[in-house]
Every structure is written in C-alpha cells, then in structure tokens.
C-alpha cells in the first residue's frame, strides 16, 4: 500500500485520541532556535499552517487546505514565488490568513530586520527583498533580491504565525517591536489557531489537550473531539498505558529494543518500524578550548567505533543497520556520497588516532592526554536527556573508547530546556528529523552562525560552498556543492554521522488514518483525518 494511504479507512465522529510524548512544549515559538523542538512541533503543527507539508513518501506536498493552487515560481531573476490562498483560510478568531502573516515570518527570520530575533533558520529569508500582496492579501508575492536564488524555496514559510496577534506585543515595523513580538510567542500558551485543532488546556509536564477548531476551513473536518498529547517518559509505564488503552498511540525517532520487543506482538495495536529522514550523529563543541583544535577532534572521532555503538544500540532491534556516511543526504538518495570512510573517522582505529595525536604534538603520560604545551586535556562532558537509555549507552561506549587515547569522559544527563541550543556540552549525540529538502538545512547546521549549528563550527570554505548552493536554482549543482562542503566539514571532524534511524509507530487498532511519517512533518501531519474506525 502506498505510504501516504496506509491505514486509511472511513471514520466516525467523536472520540478522544491520546498520544504519548516525552514532554509538553517547553516553548511555543517554532520559528525560534530554542522553540524548534519535536515536543513543540507535535502540537504547533496542528495550529500553524504551512504552504508545504512533508508526507510519509518523504516528499513535500503543497497544502490544499491553505492554498487555492500549487505555489508557482513565476520568475527566476529576480526569483519570484506566488502563493494563492483559499478565501476561506482564516485564524480561529475570523481574521484571514494573509500576506501580513507571511511578512511577519520573513522579517523575524531574515536576520536583517531584528537581530534580537534568533530564528531556527535564516535560509532563504535573508535573500528576500519583498513580501507583497494583492486581492485583499489572498495572493502573496515573494521576491528575492536581484541576482539571488534559493533552490529550497518550498521550505520557506513553514509555521505561519498570526501577525495580528504579534502586533499586540510590538510594532512590527521596528526592530525592537519585532523582537518583542517574537519573544511574546515563547511562553504564552496559544489560544489562536489556523489549523484543524486548537489548544484547550495545558498542564506542563503532564499533557496538552487540543479540541477541534470551530473555524477550521480545510477540506476534511476533524472527526475526533479531542487529541491529547500525554507525557509518559518511563518505558515500562508507556507499554502498560498502551496495553490498557490509557494511551492510544506513540511515535519515536529513537526506539529501544525493550519498546520494540514489547509492542511487536501486543494484541490490539498496529506496530510499524519505518526508515526515513531521521539520522543520529555525534557532535563536538568547538567552543571548548581543547575541542577548538581540529587535530584533537580528528583523533577523537577516529577513536570512536561506530560499529560497536550501532551493534549495542540500534542494532539490538534492527540488525541490518549500517553506518551513514554523509551529513546532508540519506542512503539511496541520488546525491548521497560517502565522505566519511576515507577519513578513518568512526573506525575505532586507536593506532591511527594515536598517530594523529603524535603528529599534532600531543602526548599520553600517566594515562592522560596532554596538549603540546604539556597541559592535561580536561574532562569532556557527554550530555543526554535523563532516561534516554540508547544515548546513555552511546555515551558509555564513547567514554570507554576514548580512554584508549588518554581522554576522560563524564556522562551528564540533563533535562534543562535549551541545553543543546545553548551549546552546554562537550560531546552530544542526537538526531535530526530531516526535511525532504536538503540545501536550506545544510546552511542552518554547518555554516557560521547557523540556527542549528549548536557546536559553533565555523569554516570559511564550508560557508562559501554552502552559500553558493543556497543561491542557485540548479539542484544538481547545489547538491554537488553540498557534497564538496561535506568533504571539508568531514575533514574538520566536527560531527560524525552514526546511522539513519528507524522510527517506531504504535497505534491502537480502533483508530484509523494514523500513519508513520519519519520526516519533519511528523506523525501529526494529517491529524484532521484521524478517527475511530466507522
């Protein structure tokens, strides 16, 4: 069955669906670097409209609820995109969705209009010269600066926020007013919505309850009365909750063997492991004065043994897992190129790591690695969320592997929001849930000052190559530039890809139209279609 139609059947009105999550949203601003996390996306993508949505087939599809027709690239110099909104599209207070909402997203994301706004991405927005509208604001015309181009233009304007609500917090025509408006979305629970649901109730750390938006304008009216995101962080409690139908579903991009084994043969549930745009990686923080040295970073990542890590984590329930060798593309994609194997990184070759250290002037004395000036390299902190058994095991293996080159690693769990964004780590393992589009994310993850560049990597040649990729409409050329940048990035040993990860979805059999979506569209991409089987 085609991925976008799996588990599809007729549903009846009414009912409540409860989905287990790791936490309630720590921040309500998906446009910000701090707020752009999975917990926020699971809720906010049900209330913030977007011109395009990532589907289970790993492709972007234009949003037929929001738009009257597919967005159109009407000119290439200057690059001009036209969005035609459905006349019914409105916020739940009756205000039309329109050009001002697009303009607000552009201005807080551009980096030019208000430097105090720290967006999750500048990609594409910094190249826009104007966002205009006609036909009562229902036709939005986005024009880039002359000579500029952005190949992933269909990634822009995700998560439209209500400009009329933002304007209550600040003058959107000034830098300070934009900053105040941007900050106003951080902690205030939204009463606004232009999606199929709206927030009814929040109990932080416990649950978020959403109810159908009475002013929803989409083609399919929500069948469910409520969608509840309930926090169940303990794996044993989660299994019991699904078994006793207290929770009706769960999805995770980092399942464990215990979860997979528990759900595989559980009666009354649909179980699915799927592979998509989710990949795990190990990052080093270049703001650590020791890790600022690329020579030391190369030795560290060479001493890391990916095969051992995968065998004791993902491989325990997905034995066919293989290391991934690209920072930008996924195995099977035409542009995928192995840029890692030739570096020796991830091989666990201790002798090669020692040769790299010796060449860089390091020594190992009394079991401790020392810099060329004789100073002992400080203890490195490996951070992960409490209860994350897979990443804890990764940390334990990295700790044991790096002992062979005189490094001490201390595992420090943390549940403090923003730890990763603030760069409060020395070594960290986490996953990106990717978009089908690859150019914009590369700019955010690997270039100087990128909104997702949490380890503060900076390299002029990487910036140049990715910058060129972001300014051409020739995707073949753009992808080649990304691979050339990846060769430099990999040589600099900032981030080591571990593997493409399987995502786990479990759904109570009584509910239909809930399907795996291992992209940044997440499982909730079609929540208005969910319901009890008719």
């Amino acid at each position: 069955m085609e991925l976008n139609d799996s588990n599809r059947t007729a549903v009846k009105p009414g009912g409540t669906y409860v989905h287990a999550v790791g936490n309630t949203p720590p921040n309500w601003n998906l446009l910000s670097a701090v707020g752009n996390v999975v917990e926020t996306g699971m809720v906010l993508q049900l209330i913030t409209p977007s011109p395009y949505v990532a589907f289970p087939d790993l492709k972007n599809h234009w949003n037929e609820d929001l738009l009257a027709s597919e967005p159109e690239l009407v000119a290439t110099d200057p690059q001009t995109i036209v969005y035609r909104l459905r006349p019914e599209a409105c916020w739940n207070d009756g205000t039309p969705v329109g050009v001002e909402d697009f303009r607000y997203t552009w201005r807080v994301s551009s980096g030019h209009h208000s430097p105090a706004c720290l967006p999750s991405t500048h990609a594409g927005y910094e190249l826009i010269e104007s966002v205009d509208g006609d036909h009562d604001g229902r036709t939005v015309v986005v024009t880039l600066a002359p000579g500029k181009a952005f190949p992933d233009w269909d990634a822009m304007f995700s998560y439209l926020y209500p400009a009329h609500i933002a304007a209550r917090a600040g003058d959107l025509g000034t830098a300070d007013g934009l900053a105040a408006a941007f900050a106003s979305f951080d902690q205030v629970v939204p009463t606004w919505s232009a999606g199929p649901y709206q927030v009814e109730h929040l109990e932080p750390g416990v649950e978020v309850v959403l109810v159908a938006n009475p002013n929803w304008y989409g083609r399919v009216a929500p069948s469910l009365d409520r969608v509840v995101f309930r926090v169940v962080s303990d794996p044993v409690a989660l299994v019991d909750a699904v078994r006793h139908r207290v929770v009706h579903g769960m999805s995770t991009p980092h399942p464990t063997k215990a979860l997979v084994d528990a759900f595989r043969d559980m009666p009354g549930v649909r179980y699915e492991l799927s592979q998509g745009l989710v990949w795990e990686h190990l990052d080093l923080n270049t703001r650590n004065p020791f890790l600022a040295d690329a020579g030391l970073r190369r030795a560290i990542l060479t001493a890391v043994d990916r095969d051992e890590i995968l065998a004791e984590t993902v491989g325990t329930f997905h034995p066919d897992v293989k290391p991934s060798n690209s920072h930008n593309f996924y195995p099977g994609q035409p542009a995928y190129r192995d840029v890692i194997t030739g570096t020796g990184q991830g091989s666990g070759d201790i002798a090669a790591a020692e040769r790299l250290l010796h060449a860089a002037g390091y020594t190992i004395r009394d079991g401790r690695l020392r810099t060329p000036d004789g100073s002992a390299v400080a203890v490195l902190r490996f951070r992960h969320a409490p209860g994350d058994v897979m990443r804890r095991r990764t940390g334990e293996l990295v700790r044991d592997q790096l002992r062979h080159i005189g490094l001490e690693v201390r595992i420090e769990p943390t549940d403090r929001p923003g730890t990763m964004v603030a760069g409060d780590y020395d070594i960290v393992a986490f996953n990106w849930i990717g978009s089908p589009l690859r150019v914009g994310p590369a700019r955010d993850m690997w270039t100087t000052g990128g909104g997702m560049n949490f380890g503060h990597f900076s390299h002029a040649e990487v910036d140049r190559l990715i910058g060129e990729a972001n300014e051409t409409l020739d995707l073949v050329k753009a992808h080649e530039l990304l691979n050339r940048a990846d060769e430099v990035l990999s040589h600099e040993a900032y981030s080591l890809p571990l593997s493409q990860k399987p995502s786990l979805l479990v759904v109570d059999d009584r509910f239909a139209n809930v399907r795996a979506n291992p992209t940044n569209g997440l499982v909730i991409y079609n929540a208005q279609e969910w319901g009890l089987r008719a």
Side-chain angles (χ1 to χ4, degrees), residues 282-301:
L282 195 71
D283 286 6
L284 305 178
N285 192 339
T286 66
R287 286 225 173 148
N288 177 305
F290 296 101
L291 298 178
D293 178 12
L296 176 57
R297 297 199 304 268
R298 292 185 192 107
I300 288 173
L301 295 189

Side-chain angles (χ1 to χ4, degrees), residues 140-156:
V140 180
V141 181
V142 175
T143 306
L144 274 61
K148 300 295 184 181
F150 183 54
D152 284 354
W153 57 268
D154 43 342
M156 295 193 298

